[in-house]
Amino acid sequence: MILLQVQQVMRRFGADVLFDNVQMDIQEHARVALVGRNGAGKSTLLKMIAGETVPDEGQISMRKGLTIGYLAQDQGLDSNNTIWEEMSSVFAELHAIEKRMHQLENQLSDPAIMNDEQAYQQTLKTYDQIQTGFQQKNGYGYQAEIRGVLHGFQFDADVYDKSVTALSGGQKTQLALAKLLLEKRDLLILDEPTNHLDVETLTWLESYLQSYSGALLIVSHDRYFLDRVTNKIVEIDKGKLYEYDTNYSGFVELKVQREEMELATERKRQSLLRV
């Protein structure tokens, strides 16, 4: 199933065209790396796909109800909450359900309800229904999920009460990524997510993204990270887009073959012009 389509998109900078007639699809569960030289327009295209900006020409269409998580390069989390409060805010719906469950628990222990069989059974039925939904949404496991993701980014229990504002720029960026992972969006767009990560955290992130249920669109200069996490390469080169159904190592070989074929075609064309 196609989540998103980029259709004949163009971006200009003044009189110059950064890229033109860009077309690509992002499928459900896709693992796409966007690559190209510095200044080719990778971050610009990501911002368009994320809805941060609009194309000069063309359009980007998406499946109805598609949820997108976007982390710009070195984008830090800005919040006055503590680390735990900020991560826990992702599960606001579960907090509301939990509050409702506590209200019903209090009602079930209320003598007025307990002595009214019909009211008690109705309240018990409502409680059972809400509790089932709570369980299905991982209501009894979300705190462990938060702890697991925070631990992956080297935030242990002794800093949970620390204010986000007190963190370094690199830590705020890591926390922004941690929050995105917990939100479980349908499409996760990451611009240089490996910045500020040590080897241990990078290894954890690779493993997490490999099992991520949504689609991934990633820009990264870390070719080993791309090899482990992605299986499709989309390259922006001289304003045009090329797709390769392989990981980064396979892309390097296929790119050489493409350039050799293009060179041979150009030599043939020049030769015919001279005749």
Side-chain angles (χ1 to χ4, degrees), residues 229-244:
V229 175
T230 64
N231 55 25
K232 180 176 181 177
I233 306 296
V234 175
E235 180 193 22
I236 300 178
D237 185 24
K238 299 182 181 71
K240 298 190 180 301
L241 191 141
Y242 302 88
E243 296 187 356
Y244 305 82

Side-chain angles (χ1 to χ4, degrees), residues 33-272:
L34 182 63
V35 303
R37 60 176 177 77
N38 289 339
K42 302 186 297 295
S43 294
T44 300
L45 183 56
L46 288 190
K47 288 178 181 177
M48 289 182 185
I49 294 172
E52 299 273 314
T53 61
V54 295
D56 293 319
E57 291 183 14
Q59 65 177 357
I60 296 173
S61 58
M62 59 189 70
R63 188 189 71 187
K64 186 177 180 180
L66 179 72
T67 58
I68 296 177
Y70 170 55
L71 183 72
Q73 188 171 344
D74 295 329
Q75 174 190 335
L77 195 63
D78 183 19
S79 171
N80 292 320
N81 288 333
T82 67
I83 291 173
W84 182 266
E85 287 170 344
E86 190 62 26
M87 297 301 103
S88 186
S89 69
V90 171
F91 302 96
E93 181 187 4
L94 286 175
H95 297 326
I97 297 174
E98 201 167 19
K99 182 178 180 180
R100 178 60 178 147
M101 285 170 58
H102 290 324
Q103 290 172 344
L104 290 168
E105 287 166 359
N106 290 334
Q107 290 178 25
L108 288 169
S109 61
D110 183 342
I113 298 291
M114 294 174 69
N115 293 327
D116 184 333
E117 182 64 21
Q118 185 176 356
Y120 182 82
Q121 291 301 327
Q122 183 58 50
T123 304
L124 185 62
K125 181 180 179 182
T126 302
Y127 179 80
D128 286 343
Q129 291 172 340
I130 291 176
Q131 186 185 43
T132 298
F134 184 71
Q135 188 170 10
Q136 290 173 345
K137 296 176 186 294
N138 195 33
Y140 295 107
Y142 77 90
Q143 292 190 9
E145 190 177 346
I146 293 173
R147 287 192 291 269
V149 170
L150 286 176
H151 180 72
F153 285 101
Q154 312 295 316
F155 294 104
D156 292 324
D158 59 341
V159 299
Y160 287 174
D161 292 332
K162 190 173 184 178
S163 173
V164 174
T165 58
L167 302 177
S168 68
Q171 288 176 318
K172 288 178 180 178
T173 300
Q174 291 180 44
L175 208 60
L177 178 52
K179 187 177 180 181
L180 275 182
L181 296 181
L182 289 169
E183 288 173 346
K184 298 186 178 69
R185 304 298 181 95
D186 299 327
L187 171 60
L188 194 56
I189 301 175
L190 305 176
D191 195 351
E192 298 292 352
T194 64
N195 288 355
H196 313 293
L197 301 186
D198 58 25
V199 174
E200 184 179 353
T201 306
L202 180 58
T203 301
W204 176 87
L205 180 61
E206 288 171 355
S207 177
Y208 193 97
L209 291 178
Q210 285 167 358
S211 59
Y212 188 75
S213 59
L216 301 173
L217 175 60
I218 299 173
V219 167
S220 176
H221 284 93
D222 187 336
R223 59 176 297 173
Y224 301 105
F225 174 75
L226 293 181
D227 262 347
R228 293 182 178 95
V229 175
T230 64
N231 55 25
K232 180 176 181 177
I233 306 296
V234 175
E235 180 193 22
I236 300 178
D237 185 24
K238 299 182 181 71
K240 298 190 180 301
L241 191 141
Y242 302 88
E243 296 187 356
Y244 305 82
D245 288 318
T246 180
N247 62 10
Y248 191 88
S249 294
F251 150 72
V252 172
E253 297 177 8
L254 291 173
K255 177 180 170 66
V256 170
Q257 294 175 19
R258 173 178 67 80
E259 290 178 335
E260 288 176 347
M261 289 176 63
E262 289 175 349
L263 183 60
T265 300
E266 178 60 19
R267 284 173 175 167
K268 184 176 181 180
R269 188 182 73 85
Q270 293 291 342
S271 178
L272 290 171

